[in-house]
Amino acid sequence: MTSTLEPEVGAARRRKEDARLITGRTRWTDNIALPGMLHLAILRSPHAAARITRIDVSPALREPNVVAAFSGADVADVQGSLPCAWPVTEDIVHPVRPPLAVDLVRHHGEAVAVVAARDAASAIDALEAIEVEYEPLDPVLDLEAAFNDQGLVHPDKGTNRSYTWIFDSAAAGTGTSVADAEAEVRIERRYIQQRLIPAFMEPRSVVVDPGVGEYTIWSATQIPHILRVFYALLTGVPEHKIRVIAPDVGGGFGGKLQVTPEEMIAFLAAQRIQRPVKYTETRGDTMVSAHHGRDQIQDITLTARRDGTLTGIDVKLIANMGAYLGLVGPGVPILGAFMYNSIYKVPAYRFECTGVFTNTTITDAYRGAGRPEATYAIERAMDELAAELGLDPIELRRRNWIKAEEFPFTTVAGLVYDSGDYDAATDKALDLFGYEALRAEQQKRREAADSVQLGLGVSTYTEMCGLAPSRILGALRYAAGGWESASVRVLPTGKVEVVTGTSPHGQGHVTAWSQIVADELGVGFDDVEVLHGDTRTSHKGLDTYGSRSLAVGGVALVEACRKVRDKARLIAAHMLECSPDDVEFTAGAFRVRGTPDAAKTIGDCAFAVFAAHDLPDGVEASLDADATFDPQTFSFPHGTHLCAAEVDTLTGRVTIRRYVAVDDVGRVVNPLIVEGQVHGGVAQGIAQALHEQAVYDSSGTLLTGSFVEYTIPTAADLPTIVSDRTETPATSNPLGVKGVGEAGAIAATPAVVNAIVDALRPYGVSDVPMPCTPERVWRALKRGPDAPRSAVAGTDQVMPGAVHADQPGGES
């Protein structure tokens, strides 16, 4: 008897999830309708900083179909403060953050009152009846001014600085001091990570049913398990009386990794009214109140010898927290702290980050969460160093990166990279890209003084995935762990139910998990059902973010499957009338060594357990198994992305002519899913480089409050992406996987900007602030070689939160 099942891991399976999603047979949170359900609308502040001198919700109660209305003052004693789960320093300044503002508002769009009505339209209409009087205050918007306490967001705290977190390789014992680093060449640059808004497809939505003695919450969230814990901690309702369900969730990109004001407001409303309530935000609500991403000032210094050997990296960040601390907001730049050294061998490293409050929407995790920012700074600076030394950017990187034979390698930041081959990924990318031919074309265009110049951009990256080892997170003062859980249930007919603690929102977990289980248990791909996102069904988990699902949750699943096999081996040996030591699992079945035709499948064992007529003595009638996996370290995917950009020097228009991505994500479970993740990430990286920025005016009003002003790329704006892979399996987990969800977003942005600057370098341009719109490119050209550079005081780069002439709201 031999198995007819082909290996599933590595097969390009179409996603199981998609048929239901694309035919509309899905269930978003907003689709949920419960008997007697009321609809909520939230009144938001039009001011960035103001005192609420009077608020009266009673006129709203007289509006048609309105059942209830309340303000922050009405629930001040019970609403508590929204949590921050990552207080990165012991002395962190953590102001109270009420779901509904009580006496002060601190950013445009902050919630001040809520209306519950029998239908959504009536609730929205009734908001106009609420009477609010504000005393506007001067907002603190400029990040450097906030850093210097020029105006205070929280006057009771006496400072805008929430924390300062420092890593010094000399103090940590992982390297030497940057002050002592050999510095034959020194490159100092300032880069601005503009503020971005996660543009997920499905707006956030929440339904709360108070039930009888317990609460059921449906939420478009990435974190149902974590949300449940915080609901219990914040409301005092016992955790076992709270059920959180993340149904179909239409994207997140980190933007739904949050305990939101709206989730708590909905809970308060359901608790007060004792009826089910629903809140679904408009896109405008999303833009002003859902957390934003990035928003940092990065000062980076590289020191090197004249042969290009790096001797030191010194980084200073000012990170905009917004008006309050988000769930993991303070920790986002700290994740990046371990990645500024990237793939390079460097003896000295220092990192310092100060988190600062401003009168803007909070910032928190956005695809990559700290690691895209780090990769951008180091890869831009490496290009600047190459230009200073007259070296090809690829050659400079080769002189400094870790060689394949040097793994495992302990970095200057203290992490141990387990495996990689940067030469292999780069060589493949260069070949696919046609690097030498493009360099030759570039030279011809320069010699001909062509008005459309060609630039080649390089980004060689690594990232830390599989968030994360619980002990490391604990050392970084993160409140939760990094483990993940999985359960496998084998049904009497040999079909399998998998319960996973990860909570997908577009990643393809159902498909990939089915492939893993099919191979581990010798069952059919279609015989596996994956259950997730419901804390009643999946009672244990830490959800989905930080590219952790496969590298942590997938490994937990493998371990649960192998426990099932260990149980089934005893049953199979009994049925085959041999010792368990003589049974091996091969080709999808248990076989007697030396007698391959004598075999029993998992299905055979499952039915024998179900009948329980003839089980070995002392063996329970169950094949089910649970497993929890806590990794000992992160996983480290890497790759090389190359971009060829044509820049029209007359108009400033940038056209991406060719884009190549070669990534090494370890062992690949499903190539189609990997391809999709890379393409989606590259699209978001290009978007930051060329299109996206959240902009406030001088009063703190968000000017980019819709997709008219906040421009995200369409398919027509993106190039054809040529992608390929190399494969060095991770040694830190039995699957050999590394993670891929954030790779494209990490690598693409510096590749694109490096290409633009490479095209313009003969004109004396060494930086173009993101997003590199045609106007900004044109202005960079007009500044000329004698204008201030980003490395020196007096830079004219756009500061986060400020309005400049080439931004929406500025004067042309």
Side-chain angles (χ1 to χ4, degrees):
M1 176 180 178
T2 58
S3 172
T4 59
L5 298 175
E6 295 293 327
E8 285 289 347
V9 170
R13 278 280 192 178
R14 291 184 180 273
R15 300 198 328 173
K16 280 186 174 183
E17 305 87 325
D18 288 351
R20 181 173 54 81
L21 293 172
I22 63 179
T23 57
R25 297 177 181 180
T26 185
R27 200 179 195 202
W28 312 112
T29 301
D30 190 48
N31 296 143
I32 293 166
L34 303 176
M37 186 175 73
L38 301 175
H39 296 259
L40 303 182
I42 294 174
L43 184 66
R44 301 185 180 278
S45 169
H47 302 286
R51 191 177 309 280
I52 301 172
T53 58
R54 175 178 172 270
I55 184 166
D56 185 1
V57 299
S58 59
L61 295 171
R62 297 190 287 271
E63 295 296 306
N65 297 316
V66 171
V67 174
F70 57 91
S71 67
D74 295 324
V75 294
D77 294 337
V78 297
Q79 68 173 335
S81 177
L82 293 165
C84 172
W86 206 335
V88 295
T89 62
E90 187 175 356
D91 61 349
I92 192 169
V93 175
H94 182 194
V96 171
R97 184 189 176 200
L100 283 168
V102 177
D103 50 9
L104 288 168
V105 293
R106 293 185 170 88
H107 69 86
H108 176 214
E110 187 167 4
V112 299
V114 61
V115 170
R118 293 183 179 87
D119 61 85
S122 295
I124 292 170
D125 290 345
L127 292 181
E128 295 184 8
I130 297 176
E131 298 173 1
V132 191
E133 294 178 4
Y134 297 98
E135 177 190 330
L137 305 172
D138 292 332
V140 180
L141 300 171
D142 183 87
L143 191 47
E144 286 189 298
F147 176 83
N148 292 315
D149 288 333
Q150 296 172 11
L152 296 177
V153 177
H154 299 275
D156 59 312
K157 301 300 182 184
T159 181
N160 292 320
R161 301 188 191 188
S162 175
Y163 67 88
T164 297
W165 190 94
I166 297 172
F167 178 89
D168 190 311
S169 60
T174 58
T176 57
S177 170
V178 293
D180 299 329
E182 185 180 350
E184 294 177 347
V185 180
R186 180 184 300 271
I187 295 292
E188 299 178 7
R189 293 293 184 269
R190 166 167 285 193
Y191 299 119
I192 304 301
Q193 289 286 323
Q194 77 270 38
R195 178 174 284 244
L196 304 177
I197 301 177
F200 34 72
M201 185 176 292
E202 175 207 20
R204 299 173 305 163
S205 182
V206 58
V207 173
V208 180
D209 183 0
V212 179
E214 66 177 17
Y215 289 81
T216 302
I217 299 117
W218 292 262
S219 181
T221 181
Q222 296 177 220
I223 52 168
H225 296 89
I226 292 173
L227 182 58
R228 182 194 192 199
V229 170
F230 279 111
Y231 263 128
L233 293 174
L234 295 172
T235 67
V237 176
E239 187 179 352
H240 66 287
K241 296 295 184 182
I242 299 173
R243 178 186 184 186
V244 176
I245 303 168
D248 293 312
V249 176
F253 310 121
K256 294 174 182 173
L257 170 56
Q258 197 62 243
V259 178
T260 70
E262 294 79 9
E263 286 164 332
M264 297 311 301
I265 291 167
F267 192 97
L268 289 168
Q271 193 174 49
R272 288 168 66 89
I273 306 167
Q274 283 300 298
R275 287 175 62 176
V277 301
K278 177 196 290 184
Y279 172 77
T280 300
E281 67 187 4
T282 65
R283 188 60 70 179
D285 290 329
T286 304
M287 305 299 265
V288 298
S289 65
H291 77 244
H292 296 171
R294 312 288 194 252
D295 205 344
Q296 297 176 1
I297 298 174
Q298 303 173 301
D299 290 310
I300 183 169
T301 300
L302 301 187
T303 54
R305 301 190 189 103
R306 293 201 179 276
D307 65 1
T309 302
L310 285 174
T311 60
I313 301 173
D314 192 359
V315 176
K316 290 185 179 179
L317 298 186
I318 306 176
N320 196 342
M321 298 290 101
Y324 305 98
L325 298 181
L327 186 66
V328 297
V332 166
I334 306 309
L335 283 176
F338 299 97
M339 289 286 102
Y340 280 87
N341 53 288
S342 188
I343 65 175
Y344 306 118
K345 295 178 288 190
V346 58
Y349 172 53
R350 189 179 187 278
F351 171 92
E352 179 178 321
C353 174
T354 300
V356 174
F357 295 115
T358 61
N359 287 114
T360 58
T361 301
I362 68 164
T363 62
D364 212 301
Y366 176 63
R367 196 172 192 171
R371 292 153 292 166
E373 297 94 309
T375 300
Y376 182 84
I378 185 62
E379 288 303 286
R380 286 286 295 110
M382 287 295 282
D383 261 34
E384 293 300 296
L385 179 59
E388 178 72 18
L389 296 171
L391 290 173
D392 183 274
I394 296 288
E395 176 58 28
L396 176 67
R397 287 164 170 82
R398 285 193 195 274
R399 293 185 185 186
N400 286 282
W401 66 41
I402 305 158
K403 301 300 181 182
E405 62 272 14
E406 294 177 300
F407 290 98
F409 185 89
T410 302
T411 75
V412 72
L415 297 181
V416 179
Y417 295 176
D418 64 320
S419 67
D421 191 336
Y422 308 138
D423 280 296
T426 302
D427 289 343
K428 180 173 278 192
L430 292 172
D431 183 57
L432 290 169
F433 192 63
Y435 188 79
E436 295 301 330
L438 286 168
R439 279 290 182 208
E441 180 186 341
Q442 178 189 61
Q443 184 60 31
K444 288 180 180 179
R445 289 197 188 197
R446 287 179 175 179
E447 292 169 354
D450 196 324
S451 63
V452 179
Q453 288 292 309
L454 177 66
L456 307 186
V458 180
S459 176
T460 51
Y461 78 97
T462 188
E463 61 158 322
M464 48 195 286
C465 286
L467 192 69
S470 295
R471 290 184 179 181
I472 295 178
L473 288 178
L476 293 173
R477 302 181 63 84
Y478 182 58
W483 52 264
E484 194 48 80
S485 179
S487 300
V488 176
R489 304 196 291 244
V490 184
L491 306 180
T493 56
K495 312 305 181 186
V496 180
E497 288 180 339
V498 171
V499 181
T500 178
T502 63
S503 184
H505 41 281
Q507 291 88 344
H509 290 184
V510 172
T511 301
W513 274 217
S514 296
Q515 290 178 270
I516 292 169
V517 172
D519 279 2
E520 289 291 326
L521 298 183
V523 299
F525 172 78
D526 292 321
D527 292 339
V528 183
E529 185 74 15
V530 180
L531 308 175
H532 59 79
D534 182 341
T535 61
R536 181 64 52 83
T537 303
S538 171
H539 69 281
K540 186 179 181 183
L542 283 173
D543 307 317
T544 295
Y545 42 86
S547 294
R548 67 187 303 275
S549 291
L550 182 59
V552 187
V555 176
L557 179 59
V558 168
E559 293 190 348
C561 286
R562 291 178 183 178
K563 287 182 179 181
V564 168
R565 288 205 328 232
D566 289 342
K567 287 185 173 185
R569 177 177 282 105
L570 301 177
I571 310 298
H574 186 71
M575 297 168 70
L576 292 167
E577 299 180 337
C578 68
S579 167
D581 294 338
D582 293 331
V583 173
E584 60 183 354
F585 188 80
T586 181
F590 294 100
R591 304 174 191 278
V592 181
R593 285 189 180 88
T595 314
D597 290 338
K600 295 294 180 184
T601 65
I602 286 286
D604 295 331
C605 298
F607 196 82
V609 166
F610 170 70
H613 294 163
D614 184 21
L615 297 180
D617 292 341
V619 172
E620 66 175 341
S622 172
L623 294 183
D624 300 348
D626 302 331
T628 298
F629 176 67
D630 195 343
Q632 295 301 304
T633 186
F634 300 93
S635 62
F636 299 97
H638 68 84
T640 297
H641 286 216
L642 302 173
C643 175
E646 294 183 326
V647 182
D648 190 324
T649 60
L650 301 179
T651 66
R653 181 176 179 179
V654 175
T655 303
I656 297 179
R657 174 170 147 186
R658 186 163 179 79
Y659 195 98
V660 168
V662 174
D663 298 282
D664 190 323
V665 299
R667 188 184 183 197
V668 171
V669 174
N670 187 314
L672 281 180
I673 291 177
V674 168
E675 193 93 347
Q677 289 280 13
V678 169
H679 283 217
V682 167
Q684 285 182 273
I686 291 173
Q688 178 173 6
L690 298 181
H691 300 282
E692 296 185 29
Q693 182 175 19
V695 179
Y696 292 89
D697 68 13
S698 59
S699 67
T701 300
L702 184 71
L703 296 178
T704 50
S706 76
F707 286 148
V708 174
E709 303 88 6
Y710 187 87
T711 52
I712 60 174
T714 67
D717 299 309
L718 296 170
T720 297
I721 300 165
V722 178
S723 59
D724 207 336
R725 292 179 300 280
T726 56
E727 187 170 311
T728 53
T731 62
S732 57
N733 64 74
L735 268 177
V737 296
K738 295 184 176 180
V740 68
E742 295 158 305
I746 289 170
T749 307
V752 174
V753 179
N754 277 341
I756 294 168
V757 174
D758 185 56
L760 301 181
R761 202 173 290 280
Y763 298 84
V765 175
S766 63
D767 193 36
V768 179
M770 297 186 293
C772 302
T773 61
E775 183 175 1
R776 288 186 178 177
V777 173
W778 182 83
R779 287 179 182 275
L781 281 162
K782 292 299 179 184
R783 285 197 298 265
D786 297 325
R789 293 287 184 266
S790 59
V792 299
T795 175
D796 65 347
Q797 290 210 55
V798 179
M799 294 294 117
V803 178
H804 287 246
D806 58 348
Q807 291 179 280
E811 296 180 0
S812 301

